[in-house]
Amino acid sequence: MKEIGCQLLVIGAGPGGYVAAIRAGQLGLDTVVVERARPGGTCLTIGCIPSKALIHAADEFHRLTVMATGASPLGITAARPAIELSRTMAWKDDIVGRLTSGVSGLLKRAGVKLVAGNARFRDGRTVEVETETGLQVVRAEQIVIATGSEPVALPSLPFGGAVISSTEALALEEVPKSLAVVGGGYIGLELGTAFAKLGAKVTVVEAEARILPQYDAELTRPVARRLAALGVEVLTEARAKGIVGGGKGLLVETGGKESRIAAASVLVTVGRRPVTEGFGREELALDMAGPFIKIDEQCRTSMRGIFAIGDVTGEPMLAHRAMAQGEMVAEIAAGHKAAWDKRAVPAVCFTDPEIVTVGLSPDEARAGGREIRSGLFPLSANGRAMTMESDAGFVRVVARADNHLVLGIQAVGQGVSELSAAFGLALEMGARLEDVAGTIHTHPTQGEAFQEAALKALGRAIHI
Ligand code: FAD
Ligand code: NAD
């Protein structure tokens, strides 16, 4: 049995853990990170990056499919495209490989020791790691738990065979003829849309009254319309009851009635749950917040010297939140003053069209008892959006009525994910409507819709 000591030990090398470790190394802390799978975590290996690769491939394929029908308004016709999904997956795997070895390289450059294996707490200062070459004991002055999350299974649809999670969906070698997606949230709609564009007959089974229930209805309407145009059937207030006919279909209950839908594969995407078992949590006395590890504004847990970051600490379960927490915790561990004082965590849903939210929606802002002003600018009045055949959607700005401080910005439209940086910056810098309206936005870009939405809220939009 080998034993090492360090100042900071990080468990899990996902976006939370690897960023914490790199920053800690940069700050001169003797740092060890333990990872049982591949560096990069869910995000790089089975989440954000592979899903966006598949979405891109599906978009390209679908564009050519439309051109092959002669229906493209651009006057372009093309031969009917074909796809070898196994080659698409190999291309995706190459991107993942480059990124995960990039993370290993960054850890090395920061002087961080990466230990491969499963970590388990022995006590609040000691962790043992089952490595390929035997047990490695790591004693640490401070520890960061960054164990992430995993897909939730449904009792009626346990994973296995035709019932898959996002991990298996992102490794399919062939496009299924029919795909039932249980859960019309982030993953279900991002991947469901991609497989529909690749030619699968997709049915979404959502328990709530509408898809993406966490967003306001105005934002999700263009997505619902596009799904319909792509031939995706959406069943709302519906429950999946189980597989029927030897794995050839899915039994669904809607409004008390049972029906069977075609499903060569059933993708279950009903949420993710924090990984709080399997690392010896029972050896510790950590307070919990529901299923998550409870943390304060410095990501400290209830035990001195133990931090927790990322998906294991709660919503929103997003990679950039985990990274920001990771960076902050490294600063604190190195003795610097820092606390979570972010004004907003932007969120993007990479559906077609994409949805961006930063800060408060109009309803959330009103719920605080505030008087608000909001301005909405449709992309149908934006020149750049028209030239890209992407004029469905809008940008909406929400501000305080009294001093015009921007409280929230939302957008729905093709490619609007790239506007999220400008939206986040405006909120973080405490911009007022006049700041956004008075900033020269490049023409022709979709960003002009942000400026116009601010002008609209001020009652002086130019282009509408
Ligand atoms: P994780 O990335 O889950 O990393 C945790 C790591 O800890 C894992 O590598 C795991 O192997 C390791 N680990 C766990 N226990 C142990 C142990 N005992 N010993 C050693 N190692 C251990 N978020 C976005 O912001 N944008 C997106 O576009 C996006 N798309 C997504 C698409 C999909 C299909 C999925 C599934 C998720 C997506 N997410 C997206 C969410 C994002 O992946 C997570 O929020 C993010 O990865 C969380 O980072 P984390 O560091 O907390 O945990
Ligand atoms: P989700 O919470 O986004 O969506 C789950 C959906 O399933 C909800 O609409 C819910 O109403 C529905 N549902 C729950 N139980 C159901 C049931 N029994 N039958 C039918 N529908 C049911 O969860 P997800 O799509 O699994 O994604 C998990 C998390 O991963 C997200 O919350 C997000 O934090 C992260 N993620 C982010 C991105 C992104 O940032 N673009 C992409 C993918 C995943």
Side-chain angles (χ1 to χ4, degrees), residues 183-190 193 204 206-224 227 234 236 348-355 412:
Y186 273 93
I187 301 179
L189 292 186
E190 287 188 6
T193 304
V204 175
E206 166 58 48
E208 297 290 326
R210 59 186 178 82
I211 51 161
L212 291 168
Q214 65 269 53
Y215 291 123
D216 65 74
E218 201 171 25
L219 274 172
T220 57
R221 218 166 280 132
V223 176
L227 286 169
V234 177
T236 51
V348 172
C349 192
F350 292 83
T351 38
D352 180 4
E354 295 169 345
I355 298 176
V412 53

Side-chain angles (χ1 to χ4, degrees), residues 71-96:
S72 167
L74 309 185
I76 304 173
T77 47
R80 199 179 145 79
I83 185 159
E84 260 181 73
L85 196 62
S86 55
R87 280 181 62 192
T88 311
M89 291 298 173
W91 164 76
K92 177 264 297 178
D93 290 341
D94 180 61
I95 296 171
V96 171

Side-chain angles (χ1 to χ4, degrees), residues 153-154 157-165 168 243 247 264-266 268:
L154 286 174
L157 289 169
F159 291 123
V163 182
I164 57 175
S165 74
E168 293 77 38
I243 290 282
S265 294
V266 179
V268 177

Side-chain angles (χ1 to χ4, degrees), residues 12 15-16 35-36 41-43 48 52 118-119 146 148 272 310-311 317-319:
E35 173 55 58
R36 65 182 174 195
T42 303
C43 169
C48 321
K52 270 74 238 180
N118 192 70
R272 293 179 62 83
D311 284 8
M317 291 199 230
L318 298 173

